[in-house]
Amino acid sequence: MHPIIFFSKMDFSQSNLFGYIEDLQELTIIERPVRRSLKTAEEIERLTVDEELSDIERAVYLLSSGQDIQGTSVVANLPVLMRQNPAETLRRVLPKIREVLHVAGVEMQLTAAVSFLTVLQEESVSIHTYSHSFLHIILQNLEHRDAGVSNAWLETLLAVIEALPKETIRHEILNPLVSKAQLSQTLQSRLVSCKIMGKLANKFEAHIIKREILPLVKSLCQDVEYEVRTCMCRQLEHIAQGVGTELTKTVVLPELVELARDEGSSVRLAAFETLVNLLDMLDADDRSQTVLPLVKSFCEKSFKADESILVSLSFHLGKLCNGLYGIFTPEQHLRFLEFYKKLSTLGLQQENGHNDNQLQLQTLEQEKKYISVRKNCAYNFPAMIVFVDPKNFHLELYSIFFCLCHDPEVSVRYTMAISFYEVAKLLNSGVYTIHKELVTLLQDESLEVLDALVGHLPEILELMTNGGENSGSESKLLSIPDLIPALTTAEQRAATSLKWRTHEKLLQKYACLPHIISSDQIYYRFLHRMLTIILTNNVLPVQKAAARTLCVYLRYNRKQEQRHEVIQKLIEQLGQGKSYWNRLRFLDTCEFIMELFSKSFFCKYFFLPVLELTHDPVANVRMKLCYLLPKVKSTLKIPTDKHLLQQLELCIRKLLCQEKDKDVLTIVKRTVLELDRMEISVDAFQKRFYENDLLDQEKERQEHLLLEMEQLEKEKQQNEGRSTNINDKMFEKKRRDSKTSSVLAKSITLSVPGSSSGTSAGKDDKKSKLVRSQSFSTQALHPKYSNIDKCPNKSSATGYTSSVSGMGKSCMLSFSDDSFRTHSTGNSGNAAFPSSSSRNLFNSADQKTNGNKESQSRKMSM
């Protein structure tokens, strides 16, 4: 059925047949360039060079009779030839290059300029030899007809001027420069002369510059071409630095003032920027009488007739305001501040709901210009904070800061995100006023803004939480209530985008959070998210960044139960995961754990799970494990970890005997040789491991400190609960004693000792626990608390045995009676503390003695 349908739709008419032929002809035309691009035998013969020629002979041959591409290759290889054989290269190759450059194309000219500069930077020959051999070639090609080639040779010449001696510069460059700067020379020649004079100003003394260079400068500042005047105006900054402050005031500044009133807008712009850069060299009189009037006229004209200077004015406004700060009157200070505020909102909708007359018919070019102005205002915002004083930020600049952070253009918000850290540093104790904008930029719709903010995110968060006036250790997030949701939202947006580098950078910076927020907040909002990224993300750098940040969170977690839960998940979901990819990430995580934690921590929790991967069915996992084994062995200490060392040696033997993969077996053999050469550290300090042992001991001390802090918090909570129970029971006992006073009078010989002992024991117990907790908090770093993993019950039992062994039988009997009474009438939690039993031992002996004396005195009185 189908072939019939197919042939029924085919049309073999003459017109369609010609159409098929035309299609075939088009296919042949497509193939023709491929056939033409192949080299013929004659072309291949012409491009072939004898292999027996040396490098110098081959270079000379290719420059003489080769094609342009071969000559360009020789010119590009000139630095290599100079390193190998400088004498022969200068004698035979460099003259050929000089001949070829007269008729060379643009590509060879650009290559030669770069090669000559490379030879200078590598110092293959002395500077005298270089100036004798290369300088003339550079000067000959300066006035090339192509502007790009001329600029390339000019950059090389300016770099050479830095290294040449003064006499060579004066004879070879300065003297010919007088004729090259004349009005009769070409425009390109005069432009080159302007740039060379700006470079020469720093090479000679002031009197030489005044006598030989300044006359040329004045003539070029009055050149008929505005390009020459603009170029010379930009070089006046370098000339002023060379001649000093006196000649700058008498010669350079008048030229700048005249150029600032030039008819060409580019000349006026160059004069304005040069004036801003020379503010540090001008005294107060010049600033107030000369510079300030010019700046005011620039500001007035920028909105009216000369919008070309508006972008440059907004870029230099911060430097300008701070440079003229000392001469501003209060009125001028306020005027420049208002001018900055106006520029910050330029091009946006006005408050009255309509645009200004200048903005009604905005073209696309104007809109781009206004965006650049607002971007420059964002760039200058830290400088404007200094201008108004950080104390006045909230009144003067906060509204502008808000507008710039919410600007509709991404580039403006991006610039604010970059400068956010500088703003936070300047505000110092008032940094809490911009926390809303931090949350806004973290939740920005553009990932570029987020990427710019993340660069200094740890420093910003540190200032936010610790720099504010109302910041405290117990309430770090009072000033930033929306910080955690903003951070989680930023991470989720970065995870769903295709910009994995931003996501990786964000995860790396989130490792600072343990210093910012509490351990519980990290555990519930970030830690499990990092584990999810390791398990589900497909980008390896992102997974590694999440793994390292997870290890940092685990390192600073303050609850042992949470730490054990995370460790168990890492072992079960990664180390024993079904996917070999997860098992590879487990090994990466173990590397980070060895970097961040102590050796004993790794050996306790991760040593054996890592060795289990020697039986992994995937060869890549076993191979990665073999690369990791030297680091794993370095975590062992002898004789404490002797059994782990035996397990490691057993696994290596199994790998050597049972491994079938050739690549893995090769790595195993190489690893065995490396392990044999390794020396294992011992428990005691050794000189060769001194620094590593100190670092490991510091890590272990910090880990023990976290455990001690957790234990201290538990004891504090138990003490608070116990004191409440004791007070309630004492109140109940007093109420009961008042009702049964007659019964107590009849049985006073039995009840008095018990009641007095119970009260004294409760007070002594509470006082001793308080002293113990205080001494524990002050001596938390003492080495005697290094063995923190032992259970308190074991230590109490030890204290109980040692105290009982030194007492007589009567004391033992009284202790048992009193302890029984305590368990039956007091709080049941008292037995959990190691010091309570030993204290009850001595209290019971004192109570029995006191009780006997009181009973005897009572009988005598009765």
Side-chain angles (χ1 to χ4, degrees), residues 99 298 308 374 401 470 589 612 617 831 844 857:
E99 294 176 4
F298 280 132
S308 61
R374 298 200 303 273
F401 184 75
N470 59 347
T589 307
E612 289 178 2
S844 61
S857 62

Side-chain angles (χ1 to χ4, degrees), residues 230-492:
T230 302
C231 184
M232 194 64 250
C233 186
R234 296 192 181 278
Q235 301 301 319
L236 287 179
E237 177 185 355
H238 306 291
I239 294 172
Q241 293 174 357
V243 298
T245 54
E246 294 183 1
L247 287 176
T248 298
K249 183 176 182 178
T250 57
V251 179
V252 178
L253 188 59
E255 293 293 334
L256 274 176
V257 172
E258 184 176 355
L259 291 170
R261 301 187 180 98
D262 196 273
E263 59 184 5
S265 59
S266 62
V267 181
R268 295 195 301 270
L269 178 61
F272 169 74
E273 293 178 353
T274 304
L275 275 173
V276 175
N277 294 330
L278 289 178
L279 281 177
D280 296 336
M281 298 186 63
L282 303 177
D283 55 18
D285 293 337
D286 292 332
R287 294 180 188 179
S288 59
Q289 298 176 7
T290 306
V291 179
L292 185 57
L294 286 175
V295 172
K296 289 172 63 177
S297 65
F298 280 132
C299 295
E300 293 172 359
K301 294 179 181 179
S302 60
F303 284 103
K304 297 178 181 179
D306 193 5
E307 289 187 352
S308 61
I309 202 173
L310 196 60
V311 178
S312 178
L313 183 61
S314 62
F315 181 77
H316 292 92
L317 190 61
K319 186 176 181 179
L320 190 63
C321 289
N322 287 280
L324 299 176
Y325 181 80
I327 64 172
F328 277 153
T329 62
E331 182 182 357
Q332 292 171 342
H333 188 282
L334 183 61
R335 183 180 300 175
F336 273 86
L337 181 59
E338 292 298 326
F339 181 72
Y340 173 76
K341 292 180 179 180
K342 188 175 182 180
L343 292 179
S344 300
T345 57
L346 187 64
L348 301 178
Q349 192 73 13
Q350 301 299 313
E351 296 180 358
N352 297 329
H354 63 275
N355 293 338
D356 288 336
N357 295 330
Q358 293 85 0
L359 306 178
Q360 287 180 356
L361 301 175
Q362 290 184 0
T363 62
L364 183 60
E365 184 179 356
Q366 284 179 326
E367 183 65 24
K368 291 181 179 179
K369 186 182 298 183
Y370 294 153
I371 292 171
S372 299
V373 169
R374 298 200 303 273
K375 180 181 176 181
N376 291 337
C377 289
Y379 167 77
N380 281 299
F381 195 86
M384 297 308 296
I385 293 179
V386 178
F387 181 64
V388 302
D389 196 334
K391 297 179 181 178
N392 302 323
F393 167 77
H394 194 272
L395 294 176
E396 301 290 349
L397 288 176
Y398 177 73
S399 59
I400 299 300
F401 184 75
F402 178 85
C403 292
L404 291 174
C405 289
H406 292 80
D407 195 275
E409 290 298 323
V410 175
S411 59
V412 180
R413 302 196 304 274
Y414 175 84
T415 309
M416 287 304 298
I418 291 178
S419 61
F420 198 95
Y421 175 53
E422 296 295 329
V423 173
K425 282 197 302 183
L426 290 171
L427 294 181
N428 198 5
S429 60
V431 70
Y432 62 91
T433 58
I434 59 173
H435 70 273
K436 293 182 180 179
E437 284 68 34
L438 173 63
V439 173
T440 300
L441 293 177
L442 281 172
Q443 297 175 338
D444 196 275
E445 60 183 6
S446 174
L447 281 179
E448 296 179 4
V449 178
L450 179 62
D451 187 79
L453 186 66
V454 164
H456 289 286
L457 185 62
E459 295 85 354
I460 293 172
L461 294 179
E462 187 71 21
L463 288 171
M464 283 287 179
T465 53
N466 297 330
E469 295 177 353
N470 59 347
S471 63
S473 58
E474 297 180 355
S475 57
K476 284 187 174 182
L477 292 179
L478 290 178
S479 59
I480 317 178
D482 301 330
L483 175 63
I484 295 179
L487 291 173
T488 54
T489 302
E491 189 278 321
Q492 291 172 359

Side-chain angles (χ1 to χ4, degrees), residues 90 120 125-135 163-165 168:
L90 292 176
L120 174 70
V125 293
S126 64
I127 190 64
H128 177 73
T129 305
Y130 186 91
S131 60
H132 179 73
S133 303
F134 292 87
L135 185 59
L164 291 177
T168 305

